[in-house]
Amino acid sequence: MVDAARPDEHAIERAAACLRSGGLVAFPTETVYGLGAHALDREAVRRLFEVKERPAHDPLIVHVAGLADVAPLTAGVPQVASTLAARFWPGPLTLVLRRAPIVPPEVTAGLDTVAIRVPAHPVARALLLAARIPVAAPSANLFSRPSPTRASHVMDDLAGRIDMVVDAGATGVGVESTVLDLTTDPPTVLRPGAVSVEDLRCVLPDVRLREAPRGQVLPSPGLLEQHYAPRTPLTLYRGEAGAVLTALRREAETARAGGRRVGVLGTRETVAALHATAAAVADLGPETDAGQVASRLYAALRELDAAGLDAILAADVAHDHGLWRAVRDRLQRASTEVIRVS
Ligand code: AMP
Ligand code: MG
């Protein structure tokens, strides 16, 4: 365990040396725990895909210590990238840029673009500064499982498969970075995340939000419909708050009467009335606090998944602005079914 604000230098140096020599190191970022590999070491990157059981067509985000480290990985840094970096880096914004040949195709899944970000977490920053290499780091979970927000989540998925975990406690934001494609005109948000579309529009008024049409080839595999998902089937209830609560209560009662164990997941206001009926309840926090709801989401999904349930019933969040958009997006991807109620 290292101090999240001022990590021990020796621990960081050991982790950095491990990365430089081709090892796989899990470390906290401000969003979720990442699993790092030397981004220019094809063998290390191949092993990273293998241990995560991640399909080769899902590209990785390359993490660097600062904007100055971006140019060598790209075919050029457009002015808009520098402007965004000045405003949002270090921080949870990933920029998709044209790739330089030095970046192995394994990292980018053969695309001619590369996704890059400068993380803000003091441990991630210290590690990147010490390693002095670009670090490819997807979330440190098994592919398609909920992302890890604690070192114990990393161990649950990857113990025995990776070389080191730098444990600095729970991550802050709890959902992944916003992925912004700067190779389209206007730029496109491929994955909503911790930097909101509204924040981006202050700098880039014409930024587009990509809605994933069903069945179409996806330019960003984070847009796979089922992703970040628990193993237990999850049904997401969407609609007016009172109608959602009625539907959840009815489903939970029916399940209990039939001897089936269901868990419910939602904001405090929604789940408060269901403690007596459901076999398990995950309270994400007050519906006025997107930050708390986002930071609890993945741990809550993992807890319910470990509770031996037949099904999870989730209430969709009521808002679609700011960080709520990312929460709604992840809830949708965690679900096997979405039911609209009115
Ligand atoms: P993860 O690090 O596991 O959250 O996943 C990284 C995600 O970043 C991928 O699933 C993609 O959605 C996105 N990404 C990475 N590289 C690219 C790229 N070159 N073009 C578009 N999206 C990318
Ligand atoms: Mg991931």
Side-chain angles (χ1 to χ4, degrees):
M1 184 95 183
V2 300
D3 188 293
R6 258 178 298 136
D8 175 67
E9 261 174 52
H10 297 292
I12 293 294
E13 193 39 63
R14 262 203 315 145
C18 184
L19 283 172
R20 273 197 303 270
S21 64
L24 301 182
V25 177
F27 60 94
T29 76
E30 68 276 26
T31 58
V32 301
Y33 272 77
L35 180 60
H38 190 326
L40 307 182
D41 178 338
R42 303 174 80 148
E43 205 36 60
V45 172
R46 264 189 228 124
R47 207 178 129 222
L48 193 158
F49 274 92
E50 212 173 277
V51 304
K52 268 183 64 79
E53 299 173 16
R54 183 175 176 113
H57 62 70
D58 193 357
L60 307 177
I61 296 171
V62 179
H63 294 65
V64 295
L67 180 61
D69 303 318
V70 173
L73 304 174
T74 63
V77 181
Q79 180 55 44
V80 58
S82 308
T83 308
L84 288 163
R87 170 73 182 76
F88 296 108
W89 280 358
L93 177 66
T94 295
L95 301 178
V96 174
L97 297 163
R98 297 260 164 239
R99 166 176 85 94
I102 189 182
V103 181
E106 285 83 357
V107 170
T108 66
L111 298 172
D112 63 355
T113 55
V114 58
I116 305 177
R117 99 171 172 102
V118 176
H121 194 294
V123 171
R125 288 182 63 69
L127 186 55
L128 290 166
L129 283 169
R132 300 185 306 279
I133 50 167
V135 173
S139 48
N141 53 334
L142 283 174
F143 183 72
S144 95
R145 296 268 297 140
S147 294
T149 53
R150 295 175 192 167
S152 61
H153 299 160
V154 178
M155 295 304 284
D156 288 344
D157 282 14
L158 300 174
R161 298 183 179 211
I162 62 179
D163 299 300
M164 202 184 287
V165 183
V166 184
D167 180 356
T171 60
V173 177
V175 292
E176 299 82 352
S177 63
T178 305
V179 179
L180 179 66
D181 188 349
L182 292 180
T183 69
T184 60
D185 188 19
T188 314
V189 173
L190 299 177
R191 176 175 75 183
V195 170
S196 71
V197 180
E198 292 82 354
D199 292 340
L200 290 173
R201 290 216 166 109
C202 295
V203 179
L204 281 180
D206 59 347
V207 72
R208 262 189 321 172
L209 189 75
R210 187 172 189 287
E211 308 290 349
R214 278 168 190 274
Q216 197 178 307
V217 175
L218 300 166
S220 188
L223 298 175
L224 283 175
E225 262 176 28
Q226 234 218 328
H227 206 75
Y228 317 111
R231 296 191 173 100
T232 316
L234 183 148
T235 306
L236 181 62
Y237 289 79
R238 178 171 289 168
E240 187 270 316
V244 167
L245 182 54
T246 306
L248 287 181
R249 187 184 285 122
R250 196 182 48 227
E251 278 306 308
E253 277 166 4
T254 309
R256 193 168 62 163
R260 293 171 61 246
R261 285 172 47 80
V262 302
V264 294
L265 170 105
T267 56
R268 180 155 313 152
E269 291 77 359
T270 313
V271 298
L274 297 166
H275 283 274
T277 321
V281 170
D283 170 356
L284 297 176
E287 70 182 23
T288 49
D289 191 343
Q292 199 176 128
V293 171
S295 74
R296 289 185 183 193
L297 178 62
Y298 286 133
L301 286 171
R302 281 177 179 264
E303 273 159 34
L304 289 181
D305 215 11
L309 301 166
D310 297 301
I312 299 171
L313 314 175
D316 198 6
V317 292
H319 313 287
D320 200 13
H321 60 268
L323 188 56
W324 291 114
R325 189 188 296 278
V327 173
R328 175 170 282 183
D329 171 79
R330 303 309 188 271
L331 273 172
Q332 172 142 349
R333 284 180 218 289
S335 66
T336 26
E337 187 186 10
V338 180
I339 294 182
R340 282 169 209 283
V341 295
S342 54

